[in-house]
Amino acid sequence: MAVSTAQRPAARASVFVLTFLAALILHDSVADVAPPSDTPTHRRFEYKYSFKGPHLSQTDGSIPFWIHTGNAIPSADQVRITPSLKSQRGSVWTKNKVNFENWEAEVTFRVSGRGRMGADGLAVWFTAEQGLDGPVYGAADKWNGVGIFFDSFDNDGKKNNPAIIVVGNNGQLVYDHQNDGSTQALGTCLRDFRNKPYPVRAKITYYQKTLTVMINNGFTPDREDYEFCVKVDNMIVPSEAFFGISAATGGLADDHDVLSFLLFRLSEPGQQLPPPESEIPKEEKDKYQEEFQNFQQELDKKKEEFQKEHPDVQGQPIEDLYESVNDREIRQIFEGQNRIHLEIKQLNRQLAMILDEQRRYVSVITDEIAKKGTNAESGQLDSQQLSAIISNQHEVLRNLDVLRNSFHESVKQIGSAQHQGGAGGAGTYESIQHFNDIKEHLHTVKRAVEHLVERNSQNPAEKATKCPELPPMPSCLSTVHFIIFIVTQSVLFLCYIMYKSQQEAAAKKFF
């Protein structure tokens, strides 16, 4: 059905208000349910194991605290690990070992080329020894540690590339090139990171023996817009190791550019960290202080020379110092939409991590049922596994109860705002049609959830396992709550229409 031009602004405004309220409620609920281990309290930047532009490389072509080998080319704003030529290898490694128990690395890179497919890929390493050269993405094979591979070439022909693969090694295994490491992978996810409009960002977190990889798809300049990729539990890495980045090309070629590598030390709440000054030798501290003073003096001289060469620039008024009303409104709208987008992304990451945990639980239970399926007398799981399942389900119930209480509290706050604002006149045709659409969408979601529950109830794994019955789940959305929600949206919509009409009437006075 076509929508008239006069109806579009009101419909867009009502959708914007509805989306903002839903995102706000979901943000409060997810913040209460999120596990504390995903948000470490202390996070300290370690400059001696990081690099970024500008002034990334020194005058002699070296990178402070890092070494580069092979075909790597450092510059002022990035490190080109390999150029887009055939059979190239390059890498950069930290000079000193990292002895942090928990850490987080943020890597910003570009992989670009003219071909439809790229080769071979880029790798981020945390190994006991520096793999300065070798056949595994430009680094040595049989490493002791972990490698996160950004593989862009499909060696096994299964059309499962580009992909991000996590592979661990104890120093004895040979990397399986023919199968793209799928036989040795601890986790993998399919992500296309080639030829993106913005640099791709990867956040690699090792906290409490859990390795998590988050990825930014390169379609937005937002630095915090990450998506969940891989999570590996019970990951054992060397206590002291080197960080490195390597890349390689084969018959096909890509430019592998690393813009920055930022390392952060993570510490558990209450743990005391040594002050950064105590970790810097006095000789190095004096050397860097002298370099900084020389750079500052050169900068001051260039400023004086510029002022002498351009005396007419001084004292000129700065144009466009204040933004107009329309620009401010547009900026506020875009900021609000960006904030809603980030909240939805955060919710998506939390749901993806929860889904990953549930898949692992289902796989463990399925394996146990398959092992004990031959024994007819003992067809159930042992008591320890059943207690773990029951405790997990009780934890889910408590989280749902927190969500329900948060929803009730939000409904009460909206109801109080409704009484304070007062109700307007009868709704127009646009508002009635809009709320009918909302109702239809809610019915669609309800039918989808019922279909999902019915499909899960027919799962043969549930028939084989006789778990204790759980208490009945409270209704997520009752009729009273739905009516309150609809009335609240109606009041907000009418208030917006009255406010918009007053603004237009006030604007007409000036013309």
Side-chain angles (χ1 to χ4, degrees):
M1 183 179 66
V3 181
S4 63
T5 306
Q7 294 174 358
R8 290 178 181 174
R12 290 177 182 175
S14 57
V15 171
F16 177 77
V17 173
L18 176 63
T19 309
F20 179 75
L21 290 175
L24 183 61
I25 294 174
L26 290 174
H27 169 68
D28 295 338
S29 302
V30 172
D32 294 337
V33 180
S37 61
D38 293 338
T39 56
T41 304
H42 303 290
R43 185 172 181 263
R44 194 175 77 180
F45 175 67
E46 298 293 339
Y47 73 96
K48 297 179 69 174
Y49 307 99
S50 307
F51 64 83
K52 64 177 181 177
H55 310 294
L56 187 150
S57 63
Q58 295 179 343
T59 56
D60 57 353
S62 62
I63 306 173
F65 309 111
W66 290 70
I67 60 174
H68 64 280
T69 62
N71 302 113
I73 306 172
S75 62
D77 55 351
Q78 66 181 19
V79 180
R80 174 154 290 180
I81 307 298
T82 57
S84 56
L85 300 174
K86 296 182 179 180
S87 303
Q88 300 288 301
R89 293 178 181 178
S91 64
V92 291
W93 294 85
T94 57
K95 292 182 179 179
N96 301 321
K97 286 188 175 182
V98 178
N99 56 358
F100 307 153
E101 184 177 357
N102 304 306
W103 45 264
E104 182 176 85
E106 296 182 0
V107 189
T108 305
F109 62 93
R110 286 183 184 271
V111 179
S112 56
R114 297 183 179 181
R116 185 176 60 86
M117 294 188 303
D120 284 332
L122 183 140
V124 179
W125 302 93
F126 185 73
T127 57
E129 300 295 335
Q130 296 172 336
L132 301 180
D133 188 18
V136 184
Y137 300 96
D141 203 349
K142 295 184 179 181
W143 67 91
N144 182 13
V146 62
I148 296 91
F149 304 150
F150 297 85
D151 189 0
S152 56
F153 185 74
D154 193 5
N155 289 288
D156 53 5
K158 295 182 179 180
K159 297 182 180 180
N160 54 356
N161 293 85
I164 302 174
I165 308 169
V166 178
V167 178
N169 200 332
N170 58 359
Q172 304 296 327
L173 301 177
V174 177
Y175 182 67
D176 188 4
H177 283 278
Q178 299 300 325
N179 295 317
D180 287 328
S182 59
T183 58
Q184 304 167 340
L186 302 177
T188 181
C189 69
L190 298 179
R191 292 292 187 276
D192 187 7
F193 47 82
R194 295 184 67 246
N195 297 326
K196 297 305 177 184
Y198 296 98
V200 178
R201 294 181 176 87
K203 181 184 291 186
I204 306 167
T205 306
Y206 182 75
Y207 187 72
Q208 295 181 351
K209 296 182 180 181
T210 299
L211 184 71
T212 306
V213 180
M214 310 289 287
I215 190 71
N216 181 301
N217 53 20
F219 286 107
T220 172
D222 189 0
R223 295 180 177 273
E224 298 300 328
D225 187 12
Y226 287 100
E227 297 178 357
F228 176 75
C229 176
V230 175
K231 182 179 181 182
V232 182
D233 293 326
N234 298 322
M235 185 72 186
I236 305 299
V237 299
S239 58
E240 294 184 357
F242 296 92
F243 274 104
I245 306 173
S246 67
T249 61
L252 302 176
D254 277 339
D255 286 325
H256 298 88
D257 301 327
V258 179
L259 281 69
S260 66
F261 181 91
L262 307 179
L263 183 65
F264 299 88
R265 175 187 289 194
L266 305 180
S267 60
E268 299 179 0
Q271 182 180 358
Q272 296 294 332
L273 294 177
E277 293 78 7
S278 63
E279 301 177 357
I280 305 175
K282 188 176 183 303
E283 294 79 6
E284 293 186 5
K285 187 176 181 180
D286 296 339
K287 175 184 176 182
Y288 297 135
Q289 186 66 25
E290 183 180 357
E291 292 181 357
F292 173 75
Q293 291 177 358
N294 295 333
F295 178 79
Q296 189 68 29
Q297 292 176 0
E298 293 179 0
L299 181 62
D300 294 337
K301 291 180 180 179
K302 291 181 179 180
K303 287 182 179 180
E304 293 177 358
E305 293 176 357
F306 178 81
Q307 292 177 359
K308 292 179 181 179
E309 295 176 358
H310 303 83
D312 54 339
V313 178
Q314 302 179 8
Q316 288 187 354
I318 302 176
E319 298 180 357
D320 298 333
L321 184 60
Y322 301 101
E323 61 181 354
S324 62
V325 177
N326 294 331
D327 294 339
R328 184 170 64 254
E329 290 181 354
I330 293 174
R331 178 178 56 81
Q332 291 175 352
I333 290 173
F334 278 112
E335 288 178 355
Q337 291 179 349
N338 187 31
R339 187 173 180 182
I340 293 172
H341 176 72
L342 292 178
E343 299 296 342
I344 295 175
K345 284 289 186 180
Q346 183 181 3
L347 177 63
N348 187 24
R349 290 196 297 267
Q350 296 291 339
L351 291 178
M353 296 177 69
I354 293 173
L355 181 61
D356 187 65
E357 292 287 345
Q358 294 298 328
R359 285 176 178 172
R360 278 197 288 270
Y361 293 152
V362 170
S363 64
V364 172
I365 294 174
T366 305
D367 294 340
E368 292 295 333
I369 292 174
K371 291 179 182 178
K372 298 185 179 181
T374 56
N375 190 358
E377 297 180 356
S378 60
Q380 297 181 351
L381 300 175
D382 53 17
S383 59
Q384 294 181 355
Q385 294 175 342
L386 287 176
S387 62
I389 295 173
I390 294 173
S391 62
N392 183 27
Q393 296 298 329
H394 282 298
E395 184 67 23
V396 172
L397 288 176
R398 284 195 293 270
N399 293 336
L400 290 175
D401 188 65
V402 172
L403 287 172
R404 183 168 60 90
N405 295 334
S406 177
F407 178 77
H408 287 320
E409 189 68 24
S410 300
V411 170
K412 290 180 181 179
Q413 294 177 1
I414 295 173
S416 62
Q418 173 189 354
H419 290 296
Q420 294 177 1
T428 60
Y429 172 79
E430 294 85 359
S431 62
I432 295 173
Q433 182 66 27
H434 175 63
F435 293 131
N436 288 335
D437 294 339
I438 296 175
K439 185 177 180 180
E440 183 65 23
H441 287 306
L442 290 175
H443 282 300
T444 304
V445 174
K446 184 178 180 181
R447 287 194 298 268
V449 172
E450 289 176 354
H451 176 70
L452 181 60
V453 173
E454 182 179 359
R455 187 180 65 181
N456 291 334
S457 63
Q458 297 176 359
N459 190 4
E462 291 184 0
K463 294 181 180 179
T465 305
K466 298 180 180 180
C467 296
E469 297 182 358
L470 298 174
M473 184 68 67
S475 177
C476 294
L477 184 64
S478 63
T479 306
V480 177
H481 295 158
F482 179 77
I483 294 174
I484 293 175
F485 188 78
I486 294 300
V487 171
T488 304
Q489 294 300 319
S490 303
V491 172
L492 292 175
F493 181 73
L494 293 175
C495 292
Y496 175 79
I497 293 177
M498 294 173 62
Y499 172 77
K500 197 67 178 179
S501 61
Q502 292 177 0
Q503 291 291 331
E504 292 176 356
K508 290 179 181 180
K509 295 180 181 180
F510 297 94
F511 295 92

